Amino acid sequence: MDMFDYIQDMENRRDKVMKGGGQKRIDAQHSRGKLTARERIDLLLDNETFVELNPFIEFRGDTFRSDDAPGEGVVTGYGKIHNRLVFLFAQDFTVFGGALGEMHAQKIAKVMDLAAENGAPIIGLNDSGGARIQEGVLSLDGYGHVFYRNAIYSGVIPQISVIMGPCAGGAVYSPAITDFVFMVEKTSQMFITGPKVIESVTGATINSENLGGAKVHSSVSGNAHFTGKTEEDVLNEVRTLMQFLPSNFEERTPYVSPKQIRPVDERINELLDLVPVDGTKVYDVRKVIKKIVDDEEFMEVQPFFAKNMVIGFGRIQGETVGIVANNPKMMAGGLDINSSDKCSRFIRLCDCFNIPIITFEDVSGFIPGIQQEHGGIIRHGAKILYAYSEATVPKITVIVRKAFGGAYVALNSKAIGADLVFAWPNAEMAVMGPEGAATIIYAKEIKESANPEEKRQQKINEYRQRFANPYIAAAHGLVDDVIDPRDTRKSLIQGLEMLKKKKKHLPKKKHGNMPL
């Protein structure tokens, strides 16, 4: 054989790997409304930037022929998104249903190591039937190597999981550790045990979609952060998210110059009409956020889960900020178990990657009730306190309307480390709302009055003037400034500019013990 023969043999082998499980299985994948691993990679990455790694890795053992598993059922490599380096793996459902075996896991582990060593995000396109039964405990060990890297690289580089098919059993724990989980409606599922096992053990009948589909995980369990109707939609969302994130914990987020399609002053003035002064009236805080961030662009995270709390990414003067906001439109913006978890994990993510946190506060308190108490609202609510206290990034709070009780303290108050706190002139801060406080404090006077209701209103107004207005808090240094709502964006720009080089070091320790 001469060199051309060797080259031809190499190309034949590569061609076999590129075809995965063959045309018949590729057609079957398409018939389910799903793309192949390589088609997904092409959609996700910038054109012609993908470089494949370890295409010729094969399983070790004699349980089946290597011809049965070209590429070991997973495609790994690196490329670019918006001209920035990323590493990725894409499970190939056309090869053994994307089942994970020892060498399949080794390919994933190797590309994760490369991502961490080169300070670049890792993206996993998951489409797998689970552990490869033929390899027994070796496949389980393989999952362990992936889980371990998910954990130790957490906070080092962004980790993104895209569920594009089944993800069952132990396989779900890798996405659960990563920073963001994307799901495709009607074609992707996540569950520990499938419908058949549940039926055999419990007798309950349920299908895969209702058990672990995108709708369930985005609105009920909170396991999914983003969903899309098609794979193309989801992969485009991943590309959008990448523009808000740094490549690693030591780098800054990408600067995106504001387009200023609409005059800032025009939309800022609309703030006055968006937020009712009456604290009992509702409004959608997302509309407020969009008036303040660059170009009214806000990428909400977990929009369908714990809707009483809004989290997501925006930009102020071209720089990424993480936004945490109560939404009075849902549950009066109060804090419950799910919103506490949602909020605290997002705060920690922003802190991991040096993203400043802006909090828009309008909170009546923690949600009362037997279900919440028995469900552990104390433990879950404490996560917010812990997350804000621990975060060393720039932290700015804007009290839009209400800030009552323990929730006032929890949502980035001065006492737990806020760098700046601004309040709108209508803001109320107190142990509890004026209506409830006045009724308790002045109960005897109200009861003995000739006109109890008139006396009650009088005492409510008195309490508001004496205790609940922003100037009382400002007089004690708990609020840095009381601002015109229309100056909110300007105040945030000035504050973020001042805090740009903030450095704060926590006491030396191995790590804290967050209430989980």
Side-chain angles (χ1 to χ4, degrees):
M1 291 177 62
D2 60 19
M3 181 55 73
F4 289 105
D5 293 324
Y6 282 108
I7 291 173
Q8 185 61 53
D9 177 61
M10 177 192 71
E11 294 298 339
N12 291 340
R13 290 170 182 266
R14 189 182 304 277
D15 186 58
K16 185 172 181 59
V17 170
M18 294 285 287
K19 290 178 179 177
Q23 193 59 49
K24 186 177 179 180
R25 290 180 182 173
I26 290 173
D27 292 341
Q29 181 83 339
H30 289 162
S31 70
R32 300 185 188 101
K34 296 164 62 179
L35 300 172
T36 66
R38 295 179 187 279
E39 288 169 341
R40 291 164 176 164
I41 291 171
D42 288 342
L43 276 175
L44 177 64
L45 300 181
D46 296 348
N47 289 337
E48 298 183 0
T49 62
F50 179 58
V51 178
E52 187 169 356
L53 298 170
N54 302 120
F56 300 121
I57 273 187
E58 297 180 358
F59 79 102
R60 295 189 296 181
D62 56 3
T63 52
F64 48 87
R65 297 178 296 108
S66 60
D67 287 351
D68 294 332
E72 259 301 276
V74 64
V75 182
T76 63
Y78 60 93
K80 292 184 177 182
I81 294 179
H82 302 301
N83 206 35
R84 295 166 62 212
L85 178 67
V86 298
F87 289 78
L88 65 105
F89 65 86
Q91 292 178 312
D92 187 349
F93 197 78
T94 70
V95 177
F96 272 120
L100 182 142
E102 177 195 16
M103 302 308 289
H104 178 124
Q106 186 183 112
K107 285 183 73 170
I108 295 175
K110 288 179 71 173
V111 79
M112 291 177 75
D113 288 341
L114 278 173
E117 290 163 6
N118 288 279
I122 180 75
I123 302 171
L125 307 182
N126 296 266
D127 190 0
S128 170
R132 194 175 293 174
I133 298 171
Q134 297 93 328
E135 295 192 34
V137 73
L138 291 178
S139 60
L140 300 179
D141 180 69
Y143 272 127
H145 284 283
V146 176
F147 301 159
Y148 175 74
R149 285 163 174 79
N150 287 136
I152 64 170
Y153 296 151
S154 181
V156 178
I157 53 174
Q159 299 184 59
I160 296 171
S161 296
V162 189
I163 314 301
M164 312 199 82
C167 189
V172 298
Y173 287 114
S174 174
I177 302 172
T178 60
D179 299 308
F180 297 100
V181 175
F182 290 75
M183 293 187 75
V184 184
E185 295 172 15
K186 298 182 180 177
T187 59
S188 64
Q189 299 92 32
M190 288 195 296
F191 37 71
I192 298 296
T193 51
K196 292 181 180 178
V197 175
I198 287 177
E199 185 176 0
S200 67
V201 174
T202 70
T205 302
I206 191 169
N207 61 34
S208 295
E209 188 64 22
N210 290 334
L211 176 63
K215 185 175 181 180
V216 170
H217 286 305
S218 64
S219 62
V220 180
S221 73
N223 290 324
H225 300 85
F226 301 97
T227 62
K229 291 184 177 180
T230 67
E231 294 192 3
E232 291 89 340
D233 290 341
V234 167
L235 293 171
N236 279 330
E237 279 286 278
V238 176
R239 288 180 59 86
T240 300
L241 175 64
M242 292 302 301
Q243 289 185 294
F244 288 101
L245 301 176
S247 292
N248 58 66
F249 79 103
E250 294 180 309
E251 292 189 12
R252 297 186 66 84
T253 55
Y255 174 84
V256 178
S257 181
K259 304 181 190 72
Q260 295 183 336
I261 297 170
R262 187 178 173 210
V264 173
D265 289 345
E266 180 182 310
R267 54 187 169 93
I268 287 297
N269 287 331
E270 294 172 5
L271 280 174
L272 299 181
D273 299 321
L274 282 175
V275 182
V277 173
D278 184 345
T280 63
K281 293 184 178 179
V282 302
Y283 64 94
D284 191 338
V285 76
R286 291 171 295 190
K287 294 180 180 179
V288 174
I289 293 167
K290 288 182 179 180
K291 299 302 177 189
I292 293 169
V293 297
D294 291 359
D295 302 316
E296 300 183 76
E297 292 179 354
F298 174 59
M299 187 174 193
E300 188 173 356
V301 178
Q302 291 181 294
F304 307 114
F305 178 68
K307 295 180 182 179
N308 45 320
M309 179 65 74
V310 172
I311 59 173
F313 298 109
R315 294 187 187 87
I316 299 289
Q317 290 293 81
E319 304 283 357
T320 297
V321 293
I323 294 171
V324 175
N326 304 106
N327 194 5
K329 188 177 180 181
M330 304 298 297
M331 299 168 63
L335 298 173
D336 64 345
I337 289 170
N338 285 339
S339 62
S340 296
D341 287 356
K342 172 180 175 177
C343 167
S344 54
R345 190 162 195 262
F346 183 73
I347 292 164
R348 300 193 87 208
L349 178 129
C350 291
D351 191 46
C352 283
F353 296 112
N354 298 307
I355 297 172
I357 302 166
I358 296 173
T359 305
F360 291 100
E361 186 172 357
D362 187 351
V363 63
S364 55
F366 285 94
I367 301 294
I370 296 171
Q371 184 180 8
Q372 287 292 311
E373 294 290 356
H374 288 185
I377 185 62
I378 296 171
R379 169 167 47 90
H380 291 272
K383 296 177 188 180
I384 304 178
L385 288 155
Y386 193 105
Y388 271 122
S389 299
E390 182 187 52
T392 60
V393 293
K395 296 177 291 185
I396 302 176
T397 296
V398 179
I399 301 174
V400 174
R401 210 167 52 167
K402 304 184 300 293
F404 296 149
Y408 155 73
V409 180
L411 288 173
N412 198 39
S413 63
K414 276 287 188 179
I416 64 170
D419 296 298
L420 292 169
V421 176
F422 300 112
W424 287 8
N426 58 303
E428 297 177 346
M429 285 151 282
V431 173
M432 62 192 303
E435 291 81 3
T439 302
I440 294 171
I441 296 171
Y442 306 110
K444 185 177 180 181
E445 288 183 55
I446 293 171
K447 185 179 180 180
E448 295 175 353
S449 171
N451 189 331
E453 183 54 33
E454 183 180 327
K455 175 64 74 172
R456 179 174 172 273
Q457 288 300 322
Q458 177 190 330
K459 291 300 182 181
I460 288 171
N461 292 332
E462 182 181 321
Y463 180 89
R464 182 174 283 116
Q465 292 171 7
R466 289 186 62 189
F467 302 110
N469 68 71
Y471 303 103
I472 302 298
H476 291 85
L478 306 181
V479 165
D480 290 291
D481 199 3
V482 181
I483 61 172
D484 184 324
R486 294 168 294 185
D487 289 333
T488 304
R489 177 178 164 88
K490 181 178 76 173
S491 296
L492 291 174
I493 289 172
Q494 292 170 339
L496 290 169
E497 179 65 27
M498 179 270 289
L499 293 165
K500 188 171 281 188
K501 294 185 179 180
K502 174 189 174 182
K503 289 183 180 179
K504 182 177 180 180
H505 301 286
L506 299 176
K508 187 177 180 181
K509 56 185 173 181
K510 188 172 182 182
H511 59 73
N513 188 19
M514 186 180 190
L516 298 171

